[in-house]
Amino acid sequence: MIPFQHKVTPHLQVDEETGLCLRPPLKTDSHNIALHANDREVSIQLRDIFPHPYSLQDAERFIEFTSFDTSNLHFCVCLKDEAIGCLGVQFKNDVYFRSAEIGYWIGKKYWGRGIVTKCVKVVTKYVLENFDICRIFAEVSENNVGSSKVLEKAGFIQEGRLRKAITKDGKTYDALMYSIVI
């Protein structure tokens, strides 16, 4: 068994020109997180643990949780230090201890700008260089074309399709499995 490894979420510069960076969530981010997360078009593509509607209290609970969860990485996606979304890396355990799952969301008004693709590239590089990980993966619903494009542009390869694996709002979809393996 691999011993517990305390992880500290770093500050990562993504694009200096635009002020795009990744950093740990702060209590002062709660308003912006709630503002951008409280959008059905955002939550419909995420797991049910992500609530809708998304309240200020939900954002505050999330930020508090991230301050105690030292076994994973939690980032705010920030543009000029304003939180516009979140990205996380969950390190797996048991026989999967060399794998990590990446997940993300961003406020709708920032979709289609390449922001998440840049962030996924930077975090993937950071994780592969700093942890004993040989595989980073993400699962997306077949109807989430935008997220599939993010992963493909970030160098992830679609390695599989889990048929009828996701049910959201009474509709069932295939899950697409993407990964980078070194």
Side-chain angles (χ1 to χ4, degrees), residues 1-177:
M1 174 166 273
I2 300 299
F4 173 78
Q5 183 180 7
H6 181 83
K7 296 169 183 71
V8 177
T9 301
H11 184 286
L12 300 174
Q13 192 67 44
V14 178
D15 185 343
E16 203 169 325
E17 188 176 307
T18 63
L20 180 61
C21 72
L22 294 155
R23 61 162 173 73
L26 306 171
K27 288 181 181 180
T28 55
D29 294 322
S30 59
H31 175 75
N32 283 335
I33 289 173
L35 175 72
H36 295 297
N38 190 30
D39 184 325
R40 189 64 181 149
E41 289 188 62
V42 171
S43 66
I44 195 72
Q45 298 298 344
L46 301 173
R47 293 180 180 167
D48 286 344
I49 195 168
F50 192 95
H52 183 78
Y54 197 103
S55 69
L56 182 60
Q57 291 75 27
D58 292 321
E60 290 168 346
R61 277 193 296 273
F62 168 73
I63 291 167
E64 183 177 0
F65 167 76
T66 66
S67 69
F68 293 107
D69 180 18
T70 59
S71 59
N72 298 299
L73 300 176
H74 302 277
F75 296 94
C76 267
V77 177
C78 297
L79 202 52
K80 298 181 180 159
D81 210 39
E82 177 187 325
I84 62 169
C86 293
L87 185 151
V89 178
Q90 183 181 53
F91 293 85
K92 300 303 178 179
N93 55 31
D94 199 12
V95 296
Y96 304 103
F97 72 91
R98 295 195 67 215
S99 294
E101 182 175 12
I102 191 167
Y104 45 81
W105 67 267
I106 193 168
K108 185 180 175 191
K109 80 182 221 179
Y110 299 99
W111 291 3
R113 297 187 191 182
I115 291 171
V116 177
T117 300
K118 289 177 185 176
C119 292
V120 168
K121 284 180 180 179
V122 167
V123 169
T124 298
K125 183 178 187 295
Y126 173 79
V127 169
L128 292 174
E129 289 176 354
N130 290 280
F131 299 97
D132 183 26
I133 296 295
C134 64
R135 180 174 187 272
I136 298 180
F137 70 94
E139 279 184 54
V140 301
S141 175
E142 67 181 316
N143 69 326
N144 192 345
V145 176
S147 193
S148 289
K149 287 181 181 178
V150 162
L151 294 165
E152 290 166 2
K153 288 177 182 177
F156 284 64
I157 304 295
Q158 184 183 333
E159 65 179 20
R161 175 181 290 265
L162 305 173
R163 298 179 325 163
K164 305 280 188 215
I166 297 171
T167 300
K168 185 78 174 187
D169 284 355
K171 296 179 184 171
T172 302
Y173 303 97
D174 290 357
L176 305 179
M177 179 69 74

